[in-house]
Amino acid sequence: AVTCNTLVAGLCKAGSFDKAVKLFTRMAERTKRNSTMVTLAAANALIDGLCRAGRVDEALELVFEKCKDKAMINAVTYGILIQGLCKSKRVEDGLRLLEEMSTSRGLNPDAATYNSIIAGFCELDMVEQALEFFSNVTQGNKCAPDPVMIGTLVNGLCKSGRSLQALELLEEMDRVGCQPSSQVYCLMIEELCNSGEADKACKLLHETLRKGRAPANTGTYTMIVDGLYKTHRPEKARRHLKGILSSSLSAPSVVTSCAIIDGLCKSGRFSEARWFLHSMGQMGSKAN
RNA sequence: CCCGUUAAA
């Protein structure tokens, strides 16, 4: 039965609705007793498939009108519908559903569901409302700040040209022990470089290296190196690059220093690359 | 336990 759930979900994602529905009905028929959890997961996958196909209203109708069985609705069902609404820019409807699920069904929204709302606001260029919603949820102890929410907000703020505010949020959340994925740091660094704040980007990279959350791709390093020399005096650029060599608890890894040298070479700064290699030696980092 | 959330290459 568990594999059937996964299968239904997979068929939906692959766009084969009919097959998924067929499988689902066969599952439902065979279900003897007490496997409501199992078919619930499959039903949710189907609802999600409908939403992703842009058929949110059909999904809503299915859940709230055609389905009399309360056991076939859980918090994930609501989460899916709320996401569906938000993705079709109907955040207000999503909020209504969010309200309903706790007040009239006693279901608790989780971080994923709250995040759908935040993402919905961002998509509508309503970052201000997204931030307000986020602080209501977290300050009101409904939900702890979540790494995904931070990612959503950072993305939203950056996309609306407020990268410095995004950085502030990132730092603030870091202080309360909430850090997003390395992809989000990657995005943040890119945005900072593009808005002439390569020095801040470099500092952030330094932080992520210390925390083991550094972006893994070399493109990020290239951007920082390029940005540093483009927007700052060479002395300042060197100081920032040196910052990565020093003051970390452990020496930078071979991949880190390689990536920096790579970035210097790719932007044609060969003498700077030689300088960096030399500095590495002075600071006790070995090249390979 | 299985189903839903943001994100770089």
Side-chain angles (χ1 to χ4, degrees):
Chain A
V2 172
T3 50
C4 281
N5 288 335
T6 327
L7 208 51
V8 169
L11 285 170
C12 285
K13 285 199 182 96
S16 313
F17 262 135
D18 306 338
K19 283 186 190 156
V21 173
K22 221 174 260 172
L23 177 60
F24 178 74
T25 43
R26 263 185 37 213
M27 283 170 69
E29 281 162 9
R30 292 197 183 195
T31 300
K32 303 274 194 289
R33 56 176 169 251
N34 250 349
S35 17
T36 68
M37 278 305 284
V38 181
T39 54
L40 175 55
N44 281 339
L46 274 182
I47 302 289
D48 186 47
L50 272 177
C51 290
R52 282 179 204 283
R55 297 155 67 175
V56 189
D57 288 312
E58 277 172 74
L60 288 166
E61 195 187 319
L62 202 62
V63 172
F64 294 122
E65 271 143 53
K66 298 213 174 118
C67 177
K68 299 285 170 229
D69 190 356
K70 268 178 266 157
M72 285 301 276
I73 299 176
N74 66 2
V76 175
T77 317
Y78 270 94
I80 290 168
L81 291 171
I82 289 170
Q83 185 198 182
L85 286 167
C86 291
K87 280 236 157 73
S88 22
K89 311 206 186 279
R90 292 159 63 180
V91 184
E92 291 302 327
D93 291 336
L95 284 171
R96 217 167 298 135
L97 227 51
L98 186 75
E99 174 73 17
E100 179 195 303
M101 71 182 281
S102 42
T103 56
S104 61
R105 303 251 185 185
L107 296 169
N108 286 329
D110 60 10
T113 304
Y114 286 124
N115 185 61
S116 295
I117 303 268
I118 295 174
F121 275 131
C122 290
E123 192 60 36
L124 287 175
D125 279 317
M126 297 167 74
V127 194
E128 216 47 70
Q129 285 84 343
L131 287 167
E132 197 186 320
F133 182 81
F134 170 73
S135 71
N136 279 342
V137 164
T138 52
Q139 310 282 325
N141 282 330
K142 291 186 199 131
C143 186
D146 172 88
V148 177
M149 291 182 193
I150 311 303
T152 308
L153 286 168
V154 165
N155 183 45
L157 284 166
C158 287
K159 290 282 138 64
S160 58
R162 298 155 72 170
S163 41
L164 287 181
Q165 200 182 341
L167 182 60
E168 245 170 62
L169 178 77
L170 211 52
E171 286 166 344
E172 191 184 323
M173 286 301 121
D174 186 85
R175 267 178 254 124
V176 298
C178 186
Q179 293 139 358
S181 66
S182 63
Q183 287 96 320
V184 173
Y185 285 107
C186 189
L187 170 79
M188 186 72 256
I189 288 172
E190 183 182 342
E191 293 294 332
L192 287 171
C193 288
N194 287 338
S195 45
E197 310 277 0
D199 51 345
K200 294 197 173 65
C202 192
K203 264 192 198 144
L204 181 61
L205 174 68
H206 191 259
E207 282 301 301
T208 59
L209 281 167
R210 282 196 11 218
K211 296 188 179 109
R213 286 191 178 268
N217 56 333
T218 51
T220 302
Y221 292 86
T222 313
M223 250 176 337
I224 289 183
V225 166
D226 202 42
L228 277 175
Y229 283 94
K230 232 180 231 163
T231 54
H232 305 292
R233 295 193 321 278
E235 303 80 53
K236 184 166 179 179
R238 284 188 174 198
R239 208 174 60 234
H240 273 92
L241 288 184
K242 246 184 166 165
I244 292 183
L245 290 178
S246 61
S247 83
S248 40
L249 300 174
S250 57
S253 71
V254 178
V255 294
T256 304
S257 30
C258 262
I260 291 173
I261 292 172
D262 185 57
L264 286 167
C265 291
K266 279 214 177 94
S267 55
R269 298 181 172 92
F270 300 107
S271 56
E272 291 301 300
R274 217 168 311 140
W275 161 81
F276 188 77
L277 203 55
H278 181 240
S279 306
M280 277 174 65
Q282 285 184 334
M283 316 280 281
S285 296
K286 283 197 183 64
N288 67 358

